[in-house]
Amino acid sequence: MNLTLKVWRQSGPQDKGRMVTYGVENVSPDMSFLEMLDVLNERLILEGDDPVAFDHDCREGICGMCGMVINGVAHGEQVATTTCQLHMRHFEDNAVITIEPWRAAPFPVVKDLVVDRSAFDRIIQAGGFVSVPAGSAPDAHSVPVKKVDADSAFDAATCIGCGACVAACPNGSASLFTAAKITHLSLLPQGQPERASRAKAMVEQMDAEGFGGCTNTGECTAVCPKGISLDTIAQMNRDYLKASK
């Protein structure tokens, strides 16, 4: 496969940035999208040029590090697929592919396709945890949990914090991420003592970071690689309203 890539290049946070066009030849359809970028970077390094900076780690769709807007869609057009799990067989030969970073004010560009997502860390630090005394884990059957609650909590807990929901939202909202982190704890017995304070603290931190509000557009769940449901946002809103009374 031969491809034409239009890649966002930005040397740092203060640089205006620009789109740069590169040709990549002899791309195997079995390559992942990131492997294709590796091929481009190897060539750029040999030519004495600066390689394209992009986040990655596990390359297994688990860690949430990889993230870029591909042809206008966060993570690309394959449903429930992270960038690292997107393969070149899904693109046509001689295709023109546009690659950009997440676009949101709370996610400033560090370099090229790398953005600073530490705003997510601060939301978690505000309350995305359960305060418990240290000690050995209790027996699995000692705290009964309804099957429906356990399933819903697990679904919410699959959020990998990649930020695709923010990049896709026209408001730049982090509601799906925050809701997933609140909901997976609020549905379990261990999360009940801090349920109200957790919801209030995390939502207020999300707002303080400058993320937009949710208007139920649904773009977030459409691009979420883990398929997190909008139901989590409804649950978050209920918990926040109760906590604010």
Side-chain angles (χ1 to χ4, degrees):
M1 298 174 63
N2 297 323
L3 304 169
T4 300
L5 306 181
K6 295 185 177 181
V7 184
W8 181 261
R9 301 304 308 265
Q10 185 172 340
S11 61
Q14 306 306 318
D15 183 24
K16 284 188 175 180
R18 67 204 184 282
M19 298 297 291
V20 178
T21 301
Y22 300 102
V24 183
E25 300 177 346
N26 301 319
V27 174
S28 168
D30 295 324
M31 284 182 178
S32 71
F33 198 86
L34 297 188
E35 287 172 335
M36 180 272 295
L37 289 180
D38 289 338
V39 170
L40 170 63
N41 280 343
E42 287 175 3
R43 195 192 79 202
L44 292 178
I45 292 171
L46 291 174
E47 294 173 352
D49 202 351
D50 195 24
V52 177
F54 59 91
D55 275 327
H56 64 96
D57 191 0
C58 74
R59 299 201 178 198
E60 294 179 350
I62 299 171
C63 71
M65 281 298 294
C66 67
M68 54 193 75
V69 177
I70 302 169
N71 289 340
V73 181
H75 285 308
E77 297 179 4
Q78 284 298 116
V79 177
T81 304
T82 56
T83 300
C84 62
Q85 293 292 290
L86 178 65
H87 286 78
M88 301 313 299
R89 67 178 71 96
H90 299 297
F91 296 90
E92 298 291 335
D93 189 21
N94 297 313
V96 177
I97 304 174
T98 302
I99 311 171
E100 301 172 85
W102 291 161
R103 301 288 191 184
F107 287 167
V109 174
V110 177
K111 183 178 181 181
D112 297 336
L113 306 176
V114 178
V115 298
D116 181 357
R117 287 174 282 187
S118 58
F120 272 8
D121 297 332
R122 291 187 289 273
I123 293 174
I124 294 296
Q125 289 168 1
F129 50 83
V130 174
S131 297
V132 293
S136 60
D139 291 336
H141 63 278
S142 62
V143 182
V145 180
K146 293 180 180 178
K147 178 73 163 55
V148 63
D149 290 341
D151 289 345
S152 297
F154 183 83
D155 289 343
T158 58
C159 171
I160 58 176
C162 63
C165 51
V166 177
C169 178
N171 305 323
S173 174
S175 291
L176 193 69
F177 164 79
T178 307
K181 300 305 180 183
I182 289 174
T183 299
H184 90 264
L185 294 175
S186 68
L187 291 173
L188 298 176
Q190 296 88 340
Q192 298 310 307
E194 298 167 302
R195 181 170 181 169
S197 60
R198 177 185 303 111
K200 192 171 187 296
M202 293 181 71
V203 170
E204 289 176 353
Q205 184 63 41
M206 174 183 68
D207 293 339
E209 294 294 339
F211 292 104
C214 174
T215 52
N216 295 315
T217 304
E219 290 292 333
C220 54
T221 191
V223 300
C224 176
K226 300 302 176 182
I228 305 296
S229 170
L230 286 177
D231 292 344
T232 59
I233 298 179
Q235 182 66 57
M236 175 184 72
N237 290 339
R238 286 193 293 269
D239 285 354
Y240 180 74
L241 287 173
K242 289 179 181 178
S244 301
K245 290 182 179 179

